[in-house]
Amino acid sequence: DAGVIQSPRHEVTEMGQEVTLRCKPISGHNSLFWYRQTMMRGLELLIYFNNNVPIDDSGMPEDRFSAKMPNASFSTLKIQPSEPRDSAVYFCASSFGLAGAADTQYFGPGTRLTVL
Amino acid sequence: AQTVTQSQPEMSVQEAETVTLSCTYDTSESDYYLFWYKQPPSRQMILVIRQEAYKQQNATENRFSVNFQKAAKSFSLKISDSQLGDAAMYFCAYRRDQGGSEKLVFGKGTKLTVNP
């Protein structure tokens, strides 16, 4: 099992540029999560999908952020335009999405984003 | 809204000794799940242990065990026979059971140093 795959591992961009982060969940998992980790705010959920449908996007900071899951094996998180305050580590996680069970979320290695 | 508090930003322990990391949480719900995740310098988030709130018995995974005090809303992690590889950030997390939400709420983390 390859685990959750994220790309790129590191991204450096300039303010105003569009950034796209990619995630491939574990095969067979039905839920996918995007988290952001910063020193100030810790680890916070941005959005999560179940069966490719967005379920909770209350953590998405603003309209500059968007996420899609066109199929069960791929998701993107896009920031347009990017700002220096978006600099953070972005994690993707996936799980079986079992309602009512102590379902385990498996995390990818993260993408470290730096916006200059 | 649920909150998770880790009051110890940093802890240290001697190799082979025992250390306890604290976590408290705030919720009005009776059914929920609690987790401890480990984040080593590689950034990968790894599940260490989980506890279902309806279970009175404390969870144990090899050298890791928890002290779950539901009335006090406390969920501490005990690491026995500490090893150098245990050095990492440790995050406590909460997940509600009702409503099918899979959202994890994380504490700010505790940095554990293991001294040889």
Side-chain angles (χ1 to χ4, degrees):
Chain A
D1 189 347
V4 176
I5 300 173
Q6 291 187 246
S7 64
R9 292 293 307 276
H10 304 274
E11 177 80 25
V12 181
T13 190
E14 293 188 347
M15 183 174 62
Q17 296 297 306
E18 178 179 293
V19 175
T20 300
L21 310 181
R22 297 173 176 79
C23 175
K24 176 179 171 57
I26 293 172
S27 177
H29 281 189
N30 298 312
S31 291
L32 182 141
F33 308 81
W34 283 102
Y35 290 90
R36 178 173 65 177
Q37 185 178 34
T38 61
M39 288 294 292
M40 290 296 294
R41 300 176 65 89
L43 197 63
E44 51 184 349
L45 178 69
L46 299 178
I47 185 171
Y48 84 89
F49 297 83
N50 181 266
N51 291 320
N52 311 337
V53 176
I55 303 299
D56 184 346
D57 65 354
S58 59
M60 293 287 267
E62 49 198 271
D63 292 344
R64 296 185 299 106
F65 285 69
S66 63
K68 293 182 180 179
M69 192 164 185
N71 57 62
S73 59
F74 183 67
S75 176
T76 59
L77 178 67
K78 186 175 293 187
I79 308 172
Q80 166 64 20
S82 58
E83 297 182 1
R85 60 191 169 122
D86 301 330
S87 298
V89 178
Y90 291 82
F91 287 99
C92 178
S94 71
S95 74
F96 284 110
L98 301 174
D103 203 16
T104 298
Q105 293 183 20
Y106 295 87
F107 283 72
T111 295
R112 179 176 294 279
L113 173 65
T114 302
V115 183
L116 303 174
Chain B
Q2 294 82 17
T3 58
V4 177
T5 302
Q6 293 178 249
S7 59
Q8 307 152 315
E10 296 188 25
M11 291 282 285
S12 63
V13 63
Q14 291 295 126
E15 195 175 4
E17 296 293 308
T18 296
V19 64
T20 298
L21 307 184
S22 301
C23 173
T24 59
Y25 56 94
D26 185 25
T27 183
S28 59
E29 298 173 344
S30 59
D31 294 323
Y32 48 87
Y33 306 101
L34 296 165
F35 306 84
W36 278 98
Y37 275 86
K38 170 185 177 181
Q39 186 179 40
S42 66
R43 282 204 319 247
Q44 187 85 36
M45 294 285 287
I46 304 164
L47 178 67
V48 174
I49 198 167
R50 69 184 181 199
Q51 174 83 39
E52 292 90 343
Y54 62 83
K55 290 186 177 179
Q56 292 187 343
Q57 185 174 6
N58 290 323
T60 299
E61 288 287 342
N62 300 314
R63 298 182 294 106
F64 298 86
S65 61
V66 299
N67 183 3
F68 174 48
Q69 300 290 329
K70 190 172 184 179
K73 298 180 182 177
S74 172
F75 183 60
S76 60
L77 174 69
K78 185 172 80 171
I79 306 173
S80 304
D81 185 24
S82 297
Q83 301 175 0
L84 295 178
D86 295 333
M89 286 289 292
Y90 286 83
F91 293 92
C92 179
Y94 168 101
R95 175 190 160 190
R96 63 184 303 199
D97 187 26
Q98 286 99 359
S101 175
E102 300 178 65
K103 179 178 180 177
L104 281 177
V105 177
F106 285 89
K108 290 293 181 66
T110 296
K111 182 180 180 180
L112 179 65
T113 301
V114 181
N115 300 310

